[in-house]
Amino acid sequence: MARHLVYVLCAASAAHFALDAAAAVPVEESVAEVRENRTEERRPPPTRPFTAPPTIEAEQPAQGNQRLSQLFYQLQILQQEVQELRGIAEEQTYKLNRLARDQQEQYIDLDRRMAALRSNSPTPAVSGSTSKAGGFASTTTQVGGSGTERDAYTAAFNLMKGRQFEESATAFNQLIVDYPNGQYTPNAFYWLGELYLTNVETEKARQSFVQVVNLYPDHQKVPDALYKLGVVYHRLGDAQESLRYLDRVRNEHPQSSAAGLAETYASELQ
Amino acid sequence: MISLFRILLLSGLFCFGRLASAADSLDTIIIDAGVDDPVRIAVVPFRQRVSMTADGKPLYAFDGLQNMSDIIGFDLARSGQFAPLDEGNMLSYPAEHKEVFFRDWRILGVEYLVIGRANFEFNGDVSVSYHLYDIANERQLLSDRVTATRAKWRDIAHHISDVVFEKTTGIRGAFSTKIIYVLAKDAGSPSATFSLELADSDGERARTLFSSHEPILSASWSPDGRQVAYVSFETGRPAIVLQYIESGSRELLTQFPGINSAPVFSPDGRSLAMVLSRDGNPEIYVMNLADRRLRRMTRHHAIDTEPSWTPDGQNLVFTSDRGGKPQIYQLEMSTNFIERLTFQGDYNARARLLPDGRHLIFVHRRNGVFHIAWQDLERDVLRVLTQTSLDESPSLAPNGTMLIYATQDRGKGILAVVSIDGRVKYRLPSSSGDVREPSWSPFIRTLSEG
Amino acid sequence: MTQHWLRSFLLMMLAGLVLAGCTTTSSETEQPQGSDQAQDPPDTAPPEPPPVEKPDYELIDGVLKYRDSPVSQTFLFDYDRAVISPADLSELEKHAAYLNENRDKKVVLEGHCDERGTREYNLALGENRSNAVRGFLISAGVSASQIETVSYGEERPVDPGHSDAAWARNRRAVLIYR
């Protein structure tokens, strides 16, 4: 059966070559010429390259007709199927390209984050935190004292509420160093972003919000962070990227309050 | 002759009282939505003076002419960007510069003020002088005078709307443009008639270009606004017809066996893209209008149709179901490189590009309902612009700010307009029958120079 | 039946199809006349039908009847598809048989769509529907000169309704004897 299908396919592609060849003749011609060609096509051409061998014609001509119409029908179905497959291929190529692009962006962000960590933290602290950041980190934070992490977070948060922005930023940064896999780490990144935004340190704000989105894609702060990235990119003068994030909030988190904010912000942008 | 609208229904503080009482037809422009914070403008009724003959009789009358301020105010209102002040709320009715007191308008919250006068000259021409003021800065922005024949009354008003719009928004106005659409009466019955109608962009002053008992579709303007190409079934099968708008003379361009469809002029007006199935199945061709030679552009056993040109004339975008479902593709004509442009949804068709070449509008099916959508080609963002259903045939205003499309309202074909940001919406129904297949004209000159 | 035989047979038939379907050439030269009756079921086609006996096929007022029962002349399609329904193949074979016997008879194939989707796309889709029927008839031996196609897209619905049932009725190709 599979072999038969191959023959039909070969023949189908041959049919297309022939169709194209026939159609390729009047590529550039006047209307009058085309009309002439049309009438000419109705006459049988002088030579016929594909005349069926007389033996088979003589044997079963009527069956031949029936088989031919069945083949025509099969060809139609195959064409339809090929079209659908083409559609799937087009869509998957598109998705792959998008994924590749997104992944590259994520990698660049990760790279920047690593660089920032290396340059910002004093060496002993880094080694200390990286050891915590290993496989035992989560147990450490949970067992070692979610209380202390919560205390650190509450303290940093209260500093922010008290409008001591610089101190608050330092506290949140320390929390991230001390509890890299902590329960409040995503929140710390988010509030850092807010603090930097207030302090017009837009690039730092961008990096903080990107951390929330990329490292904690399921976190509740993600819609807000996406919206803020829209704001950040707008301030950085990249309207294109700004709209992309605003659209992400609306598409990925349509129920969030950030979606409404993003909608308003995007409409003001345009 | 039908007129598509008479009444403006606009909710809110600022509204038009006078037009509502002027209703003498069932047809209505219905403004559904405008921008959240429209510009407040006051268009004072123009002072209309009648010249007298020596024995004291009026030389010409303004009878039957709508006050110019009504036409201008309505133009600005339907753009969705402006909320004209109701005439009844005005504190004074200045018609010339020395009568303007900025304080009167400031306390009404008005941002811009338009005043003017219309006089009949002795030869019967209308002469209109008008001024535009910026109230906050107490500045005259504009002062001009237009003279034209009485028949150009509405053209003068639309011209002033264009100038005011451009001066206040920075965007060229498109109120002086025209629309062509198809009016179908008794569609589906043996007595059905189809007519190709030409009207002002506000639906007024409609006139019939061609009528037939067989369907008409796909009207396309030439870039100079002098010709229209369309598909007519008058012979029982589809043919592409070229018609000169002024003279009405018609020419059969193509009538090959099979379909002859979707003609669209190239931006330079020298070529016409079209769909023919003379070589087996629907393919896209480009006809050089000078020598009528045809060039075949697509080659595929699937449907290829609905071509349109990129603004630079180098590429065609078209609908194809080569991927099993209708989607929009772009063909680079110099290389024959074909690229798919739409990936969201399972039905995207009849695309038109905005003048910037970066944005696409098209028919998009979402949850089984056909809407008009907008897509940013660079950022790959799609936005659905309409909430109506069975929407089709989007056609852009030449300034790229609005589009007109065909939709259904209670089973009846109507025209509707939506802004490119989706915020401004209005409808143009017709009591005469189903209206469909709208095509917005390019910028055209409606007033002769000088 | 050997693989070799089957292969050459299929290729040959497709080659014939290419010529018949793509160049719109009359296939009369290819198909020997008089062979068409063999398409009928063997027991109903006596080698030399007596003149008094009623023929299997009759065309009365534009309606083709096969042994007194009308042959379907409307063929419905799935949404956004131009592939003939398998259920219609036997009816189309009957039209082909009649047209093969009566070379002077001509048909018009109309393609139609439902109102959903854009008018121009539907015009093309209607064209592909009428072409699908045309291609089938030609591959069944009917001469291209006997067939005319015209697409009306969504312009001529048979049912003006807006329901699924109305749409289904409107997605059709109609075969009309001239």
Side-chain angles (χ1 to χ4, degrees):
Chain A
M1 190 55 209
R3 188 182 282 231
H4 296 181
L5 207 62
V6 171
Y7 292 144
V8 174
L9 274 173
C10 290
S13 62
H16 274 291
F17 280 123
L19 179 72
D20 285 354
V25 181
V27 166
E28 190 130 20
E29 60 199 358
S30 75
V31 175
E33 282 172 283
V34 172
R35 291 211 174 104
E36 256 170 50
N37 273 16
R38 253 336 260 208
T39 50
E40 209 171 323
E41 277 170 15
R42 292 181 186 279
R43 274 191 275 125
T47 53
R48 315 222 67 191
F50 298 113
T51 315
T55 46
I56 294 167
E57 281 285 318
E59 265 174 35
Q60 284 177 320
Q63 258 197 348
N65 266 350
Q66 229 164 22
R67 279 164 195 272
L68 194 56
S69 54
Q70 277 163 16
L71 279 177
F72 172 81
Y73 182 64
Q74 298 241 319
L75 182 66
Q76 269 213 311
I77 289 171
L78 280 171
Q79 280 186 342
Q80 184 66 49
E81 240 163 71
V82 170
Q83 277 170 244
E84 276 159 26
L85 287 172
R86 180 194 170 113
I88 292 169
E90 284 171 346
E91 276 150 28
Q92 294 193 337
T93 308
Y94 168 78
K95 279 180 190 157
L96 272 175
N97 287 342
R98 264 196 95 124
L99 276 175
R101 204 184 61 201
D102 287 356
Q103 207 163 34
Q104 196 183 6
E105 274 171 22
Q106 280 181 13
Y107 175 77
I108 291 168
D109 277 331
L110 192 70
D111 203 43
R112 276 194 200 140
R113 185 179 68 98
M114 301 287 278
L117 271 178
R118 258 180 260 126
S119 60
N120 283 352
S121 318
T123 327
V126 168
S127 63
S129 66
T130 40
S131 68
K132 270 189 199 168
F136 300 103
S138 56
T139 39
T140 315
T141 46
Q142 271 166 13
V143 175
S146 63
T148 49
E149 193 204 341
R150 180 191 294 227
D151 289 347
Y153 180 74
T154 312
F157 197 76
N158 285 336
L159 282 168
M160 184 170 65
K161 279 206 291 190
R163 305 191 65 79
Q164 292 172 273
F165 295 141
E166 234 162 87
E167 292 81 345
S168 173
T170 312
F172 277 126
N173 267 320
Q174 193 55 47
L175 185 144
I176 292 165
V177 170
D178 291 342
Y179 306 97
N181 285 337
Q183 190 183 346
Y184 294 105
T185 319
N187 303 61
F189 274 123
Y190 178 80
W191 291 119
L192 268 176
E194 290 280 18
L195 288 166
Y196 287 137
L197 206 56
T198 314
N199 209 27
V200 208
E201 294 179 79
T202 317
E203 172 55 21
K204 277 190 178 176
R206 189 192 70 79
Q207 289 178 17
S208 303
F209 289 127
V210 162
Q211 312 282 31
V212 180
V213 173
N214 288 352
L215 297 180
Y216 313 96
D218 300 318
H219 197 268
Q220 56 177 19
K221 278 285 175 204
V222 164
D224 291 315
L226 285 170
Y227 164 63
K228 288 293 177 178
L229 278 167
V231 175
V232 163
Y233 274 109
H234 177 229
R235 293 201 185 160
L236 288 169
D238 189 344
Q240 189 171 323
E241 204 55 11
S242 164
L243 281 171
R244 205 169 75 86
Y245 276 108
L246 295 173
D247 280 315
R248 266 186 75 182
V249 189
R250 286 185 285 173
N251 292 334
E252 295 171 17
H253 308 280
Q255 302 303 324
S256 68
S257 59
L261 293 169
E263 181 94 49
T264 316
Y265 198 89
S267 62
E268 278 166 12
L269 273 185
Q270 297 192 355
Chain B
M1 206 84 324
I2 66 141
S3 289
L4 280 171
F5 83 87
R6 281 282 183 263
I7 310 173
L8 156 68
L9 300 177
L10 180 63
S11 56
L13 262 171
F14 284 71
C15 76
F16 251 77
R18 282 187 64 180
L19 277 173
S21 60
D24 57 13
S25 153
L26 292 172
D27 302 307
T28 311
I29 270 197
I30 304 149
I31 298 187
D32 297 308
V35 297
D36 294 338
D37 189 16
V39 175
R40 294 176 170 200
I41 194 165
V43 188
V44 179
F46 280 27
R47 194 167 295 159
Q48 300 181 153
R49 189 165 295 154
V50 183
S51 303
M52 299 288 178
T53 55
D55 54 353
K57 287 187 179 141
L59 195 57
Y60 299 100
F62 286 92
D63 295 355
L65 296 178
Q66 205 177 357
N67 193 302
M68 206 143 270
S69 64
D70 285 348
I71 306 171
I72 297 166
F74 189 66
D75 277 345
L76 296 172
R78 76 188 155 95
S79 80
Q81 311 285 328
F82 291 88
L85 179 66
D86 186 352
E87 183 192 321
N89 292 335
M90 292 178 188
L91 300 174
S92 55
Y93 300 93
E96 48 195 297
H97 181 69
K98 63 173 191 262
E99 298 166 1
V100 173
F101 295 99
F102 291 108
R103 200 178 51 95
D104 286 0
W105 304 102
R106 209 164 29 238
I107 57 172
L108 290 169
V110 168
E111 293 162 74
Y112 294 102
L113 170 69
V114 179
I115 62 167
R117 282 179 306 172
N119 295 322
F120 271 118
E121 307 284 354
F122 278 98
N123 64 1
D125 280 357
V126 184
S127 170
V128 180
S129 57
Y130 65 98
H131 313 270
L132 169 68
Y133 297 93
D134 171 351
I135 299 301
N137 297 308
E138 304 199 353
R139 217 154 44 97
Q140 178 171 286
L141 296 177
L142 195 70
S143 174
D144 200 7
R145 184 188 175 94
V146 189
T147 304
T149 62
R150 188 185 201 271
K152 299 274 188 184
W153 182 260
R154 297 193 71 87
D155 294 313
I156 298 170
H158 292 315
H159 168 78
I160 296 171
S161 304
D162 282 341
V163 172
V164 168
F165 188 81
E166 181 159 2
K167 201 74 190 172
T168 50
T169 66
I171 300 164
R172 187 170 174 185
F175 303 108
S176 296
T177 52
K178 308 268 180 185
I179 51 172
I180 282 179
Y181 55 91
V182 173
L183 169 66
K185 294 182 186 172
D186 308 317
S189 82
S191 61
T193 58
F194 300 84
S195 59
L196 194 65
E197 302 282 320
L198 170 71
D200 290 357
S201 65
D202 57 9
E204 285 285 340
R205 297 194 296 183
R207 72 179 173 95
T208 301
L209 294 177
F210 171 70
S211 68
S212 163
H213 285 293
E214 300 294 338
I216 302 169
L217 51 152
S218 310
S220 163
W221 288 84
S222 66
D224 63 5
R226 290 165 198 264
Q227 292 161 279
V228 57
Y230 56 92
V231 174
S232 168
F233 278 72
E234 64 200 80
T235 61
R237 39 178 62 254
I240 296 176
V241 175
L242 184 65
Q243 181 165 346
Y244 287 83
I245 288 170
E246 271 320 302
S247 69
S249 71
R250 303 169 76 240
E251 185 185 344
L252 185 70
L253 267 191
T254 71
Q255 192 174 22
F256 292 109
I259 60 169
N260 299 257
S261 134
V264 183
F265 281 92
S266 63
D268 65 7
R270 290 184 188 157
S271 308
L272 195 68
M274 60 179 68
V275 175
L276 306 172
S277 62
R278 64 181 184 125
D279 292 326
N281 76 319
E283 302 283 5
I284 291 161
Y285 295 77
V286 169
M287 178 185 276
N288 179 335
L289 286 168
D291 59 12
R292 302 289 153 89
R293 288 171 85 87
L294 280 167
R295 195 174 147 207
R296 180 169 167 178
M297 305 309 299
T298 58
R299 203 169 291 280
H300 200 281
H301 62 260
I303 291 171
D304 292 321
T305 186
E306 303 178 327
S308 78
W309 303 76
T310 53
D312 61 8
Q314 301 297 307
N315 311 285
L316 291 172
V317 296
F318 63 99
T319 310
S320 177
D321 75 336
R322 56 186 63 202
K325 296 186 170 110
Q327 294 289 349
I328 294 155
Y329 293 78
Q330 175 163 310
L331 166 72
E332 192 176 37
M333 287 189 278
S334 56
T335 58
N336 280 333
F337 177 72
I338 289 177
E339 179 190 12
R340 180 163 156 186
L341 299 180
T342 51
F343 290 92
Q344 292 190 47
D346 59 3
Y347 197 114
N348 293 301
R350 201 182 182 282
R352 294 289 184 264
L353 277 150
L354 261 67
D356 64 10
R358 275 186 48 203
H359 300 91
L360 205 62
I361 54 157
F362 50 95
V363 175
H364 169 74
R365 186 172 60 187
R366 177 165 290 190
N367 303 327
V369 184
F370 291 87
H371 295 299
I372 308 298
W374 167 100
Q375 185 175 320
D376 183 325
L377 292 175
E378 284 173 19
R379 289 189 296 115
D380 196 22
V381 174
L382 184 144
R383 188 180 299 156
V384 173
L385 300 180
T386 59
Q387 275 82 49
T388 38
S389 66
L390 286 172
D391 302 344
E392 58 180 333
S393 307
S395 174
L396 278 160
N399 63 5
T401 59
M402 313 277 275
L403 66 90
I404 191 165
Y405 66 100
T407 184
Q408 301 264 327
D409 186 18
R410 281 156 287 173
K412 204 166 163 323
I414 65 161
L415 305 182
V417 173
V418 61
S419 62
I420 291 303
D421 60 13
R423 291 194 290 177
V424 179
K425 295 182 167 86
Y426 64 88
R427 281 174 278 162
L428 292 131
S430 164
S431 61
S432 308
D434 292 291
V435 283
R436 52 169 86 141
E437 296 284 284
S439 178
W440 209 316
S441 79
F443 287 119
I444 45 177
R445 200 179 296 281
T446 51
L447 297 174
S448 50
E449 286 299 286
Chain C
M1 203 182 294
T2 65
Q3 293 287 349
H4 179 76
W5 184 90
L6 186 69
R7 183 180 169 213
S8 40
F9 177 79
L10 282 170
L11 280 172
M12 228 166 41
M13 285 304 143
L14 270 154
L17 165 66
V18 167
L19 289 170
C22 304
T23 63
T24 65
T25 314
S26 158
S27 58
E28 282 160 300
T29 48
E30 290 177 290
Q31 302 300 334
Q33 290 294 316
S35 65
D36 309 287
Q37 283 182 347
Q39 284 194 341
D40 306 339
D43 56 329
T44 64
E48 283 180 56
V52 286
E53 204 173 296
K54 205 177 168 189
D56 278 347
Y57 289 104
E58 278 183 301
L59 187 64
I60 301 159
D61 295 334
V63 178
L64 182 68
K65 289 191 170 171
Y66 176 69
R67 296 190 189 172
D68 292 332
S69 59
V71 183
S72 174
Q73 290 180 220
T74 298
F75 308 99
L76 301 183
F77 289 81
D78 286 343
Y79 177 67
D80 197 24
R81 288 286 173 267
V83 177
I84 303 164
S85 157
D88 288 330
L89 295 181
S90 64
E91 298 294 273
L92 283 170
E93 294 279 7
K94 291 186 183 124
H95 288 293
Y98 177 75
L99 288 165
N100 278 327
E101 273 178 57
N102 300 277
R103 291 285 174 187
D104 58 323
K105 291 283 187 266
K106 291 187 191 240
V107 289
V108 176
L109 298 172
E110 290 182 357
H112 299 271
C113 304
D114 69 35
E115 64 180 340
R116 293 172 295 167
T118 63
R119 284 176 192 276
E120 286 145 348
Y121 182 82
N122 281 341
L123 200 57
L125 184 59
E127 173 77 359
N128 275 7
R129 283 177 180 160
S130 60
N131 270 341
V133 176
R134 176 180 184 270
F136 184 87
L137 293 178
I138 287 175
S139 63
V142 179
S143 159
S145 61
Q146 289 174 275
I147 305 170
E148 207 181 313
T149 60
V150 60
S151 172
Y152 288 104
E154 62 179 272
E155 309 300 326
R156 289 188 174 176
V158 69
D159 186 331
H162 306 286
S163 62
D164 282 339
W167 290 331
R169 268 157 55 71
N170 290 332
R171 292 190 301 267
R172 68 206 193 275
V174 184
L175 186 151
I176 298 161
Y177 282 94
R178 278 236 154 130

